């Protein structure tokens, strides 16, 4: 089915994250630029969160931000959430401003490890505790790392693609995420750990996409497609945005729906592509669950308590083990899209628009 694939910016996360023994006062939060207001925090401290951009994934503004706002408001703590818009210098400026404004805990999603490490070092020198959110800062000094098990994410993507391909002879292209994002490395390694073991699969192209830029991904995949003379049977795409770029080129060449494509983030676009048969699978990393973990951890740190962690991850660059909270990702294909709705990450009305309503009905999404 030919259709226009625009990136859908869904308004997500009407969910309220209730934290035990927390106030329900309405403390104000940043709307991407201003400071969060007070409201029940009791002057104990302030939490700053810097999200990376609005291009790599729709999740940061449409899912993580509202989930974090709901959690912080429920807890009655002061907070400030801003977005660096893909600019490392801007992230540093935001961090400096937050430190000056009195944040006692700073969480960042780094744009690259070098700039992230510099922010964390400066925060540490000012007595501010730091959290790596979603992406580990190699060589950094974060007190805690909160993310999903990213090697497992990649392995689930590899398993999903293998399930869609079967054991037949297949040429595979790998479209990886940003080379400056340690998560992208882990995703790719996880996928390779599964797919490289299948002797009937042959890699015919692999390239990283700078800054997870979907527009660049279109050009990069078209070049890979041309180089392979169109003889591609499956595509490992690191997230739903990159998958959408891949599908646009496959569609242009009459191959959409014929070549399995992976994804990640369980975005509206990704789920719609899955229901339409153009994307093989995606990975659900619940923003509600990750935001809840960040809220609980940062609130504990504000109060001077030691947050509960699930283990450690190795920072080879920094030569240290970083205390970590690693959540479990979930593989999503056409058979269990309803799980994303049941988790509260999206509403069926977000997914089941226009032509997709019939696909939702056929696959029990309601």
């Amino acid at each position: 089915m030919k259709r226009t694939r625009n990136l859908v910016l869904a308004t997500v996360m009407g969910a309220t994250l209730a934290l035990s023994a927390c106030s329900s006062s309405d403390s104000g939060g940043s709307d991407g630029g201003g400071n969060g207001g007070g409201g029940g925090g009791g002057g104990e401290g302030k939490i700053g969160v810097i999200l990376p951009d609005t291009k790599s994934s729709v999740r940061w503004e449409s899912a993580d931000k509202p989930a974090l706002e709901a959690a912080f408001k429920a807890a009655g703590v002061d907070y400030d959430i801003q977005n660096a818009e893909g600019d490392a210098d801007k992230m540093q400026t935001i961090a400096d401003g937050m430190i000056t404004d009195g944040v006692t805990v700073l969480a960042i999603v780094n744009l690259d490890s070098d700039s992230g490490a510099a922010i964390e070092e400066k925060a540490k020198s000012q007595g501010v505790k730091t959290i790596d959110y979603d992406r580990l800062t190699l060589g950094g000094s974060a007190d805690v790392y909160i993310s999903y098990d990213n090697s497992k994410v990649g392995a689930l993507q590899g398993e999903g693609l293998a399930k869609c391909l079967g054991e037949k002879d297949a040429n595979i292209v790998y479209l990886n995420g940003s080379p400056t994002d340690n998560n992208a490395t882990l995703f790719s390694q996880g996928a390779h750990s599964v797919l490289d073991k299948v002797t009937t699969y042959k890699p015919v192209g692999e390239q990283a996409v700078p800054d997870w830029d979907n527009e660049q991904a279109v050009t990069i995949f078209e070049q890979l497609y041309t180089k392979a003379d169109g003889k591609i049977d499956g595509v490992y795409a690191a997230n739903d945005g990159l998958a959408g770029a891949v599908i646009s080129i496959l569609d242009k060449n009459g191959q959409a729906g014929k070549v399995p494509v992976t994804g990640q983030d369980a975005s509206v676009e990704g789920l719609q592509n899955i229901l339409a048969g153009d994307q093989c699978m995606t990975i659900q990393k619940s923003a509600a669950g990750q935001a809840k973990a960040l809220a609980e951890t940062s609130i504990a740190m504000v109060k001077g308590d030691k947050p509960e962690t699930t283990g450690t991850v190795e920072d080879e660059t920094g030569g240290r083990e970083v205390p970590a909270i690693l959540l479990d990702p979930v593989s999503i294909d056409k058979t269990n899209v309803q799980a994303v709705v049941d988790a509260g990450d999206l509403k069926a009305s977000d997914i089941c628009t226009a032509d997709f309503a019939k696909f939702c009905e056929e696959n029990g999404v309601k």
Side-chain angles (χ1 to χ4, degrees):
M1 179 179 91
K2 285 197 174 185
R3 54 194 173 84
T4 302
R5 294 178 173 83
N6 291 324
L7 191 64
V8 180
L9 292 174
T11 302
V12 191
M13 302 302 301
T16 300
L17 298 173
L19 298 178
S20 60
C22 290
S23 149
S24 60
S25 61
D26 185 19
S27 69
S30 161
D31 189 22
N35 293 329
E44 292 178 322
K46 184 175 183 179
I47 299 164
V49 181
I50 311 178
L51 301 175
D53 56 58
T54 55
K55 292 181 67 176
S56 65
S57 175
V58 298
R59 62 167 285 195
W60 303 119
E61 289 295 313
S62 66
D64 290 75
K65 182 180 177 181
L68 288 167
E69 287 176 336
F72 292 144
K73 286 179 180 179
V77 296
D78 288 349
Y79 66 93
D80 184 2
I81 303 173
Q82 297 190 44
N83 194 305
E85 299 291 352
D87 187 328
D89 290 336
K90 182 175 181 179
M91 182 174 282
Q92 180 69 70
T93 299
I94 292 171
D96 290 344
M98 286 182 173
I99 293 170
T100 299
D101 288 341
V103 299
T104 49
V105 176
L106 176 63
I108 66 169
V109 186
N110 74 61
L111 290 169
D112 62 81
S113 286
D114 287 345
S115 63
I119 288 171
E120 291 175 351
E121 184 61 30
K122 186 167 185 178
K124 183 179 180 181
S125 72
Q126 299 296 313
V128 176
K129 296 184 180 298
T130 56
I131 298 172
D132 274 335
Y133 184 56
D134 196 71
R135 299 172 183 170
L136 180 65
T137 301
L138 300 177
S141 54
D143 296 279
V144 182
Y145 170 51
I146 299 172
S147 189
Y148 280 81
D149 185 332
N150 294 308
S151 294
K152 185 175 181 180
V153 167
L156 288 174
Q157 290 175 312
E159 290 169 5
L161 185 56
K163 181 180 178 181
C164 289
L165 285 170
E167 296 181 357
K168 65 181 182 182
D169 291 343
N171 292 336
I172 297 176
V173 163
Y174 294 80
L175 193 64
N176 298 321
S178 176
T180 60
D181 180 354
N182 184 58
N183 282 3
T185 300
L186 296 175
F187 300 149
S188 179
Q189 289 174 348
H192 274 289
S193 73
V194 173
L195 297 172
D196 288 355
K197 294 176 182 177
V198 184
T199 57
T200 55
Y201 296 166
K202 177 183 177 181
V204 294
E206 181 163 9
Q207 193 164 336
V209 178
D211 302 322
W212 294 90
D213 188 298
N214 297 328
E215 292 182 5
Q216 289 192 61
V218 171
T219 301
I220 290 170
F221 181 70
E222 186 162 35
Q223 291 171 344
L224 291 170
Y225 187 88
T226 300
K227 186 176 181 180
D229 197 26
K231 295 177 181 179
I232 295 173
D233 302 298
V235 180
Y236 165 79
N239 75 356
D240 290 344
L242 301 187
V246 169
I247 293 167
S248 71
I249 298 303
L250 293 176
D251 190 31
K252 179 180 174 181
N253 289 277
Q255 295 298 303
K258 299 177 183 179
V259 177
V261 181
T262 66
Q264 179 182 178
D265 291 335
S267 67
V268 170
E269 180 194 30
L271 295 173
Q272 289 178 336
N273 281 333
I274 287 171
L275 290 169
D278 293 334
Q279 185 170 323
C280 170
M281 56 81 68
T282 188
I283 298 293
Q284 179 192 15
K285 301 189 303 182
S286 173
Q290 197 170 357
K292 184 175 185 290
L294 175 58
E296 291 177 338
T297 300
S298 56
I299 289 166
M301 293 167 73
V302 160
K303 294 179 178 179
D305 298 332
K306 184 177 180 180
E308 294 185 9
T309 56
T310 61
T312 63
V313 295
E314 184 180 4
D315 171 8
E316 294 183 354
T317 301
R320 69 186 189 115
E321 294 291 325
V322 184
I325 299 171
L326 297 181
L327 308 172
D328 284 327
V330 178
S331 182
I332 301 293
D333 59 24
K334 189 179 289 189
T335 66
N336 64 338
V337 170
Q338 181 64 33
V340 180
V341 176
D342 291 341
D345 286 342
L346 288 173
K347 297 177 182 177
S349 58
D350 297 322
I351 306 166
C352 306
T353 59
D355 290 344
F356 299 104
K358 63 180 180 182
F359 298 129
C360 286
E361 185 176 355
E362 290 170 1
N363 292 280
V365 181
K366 56 187 177 180

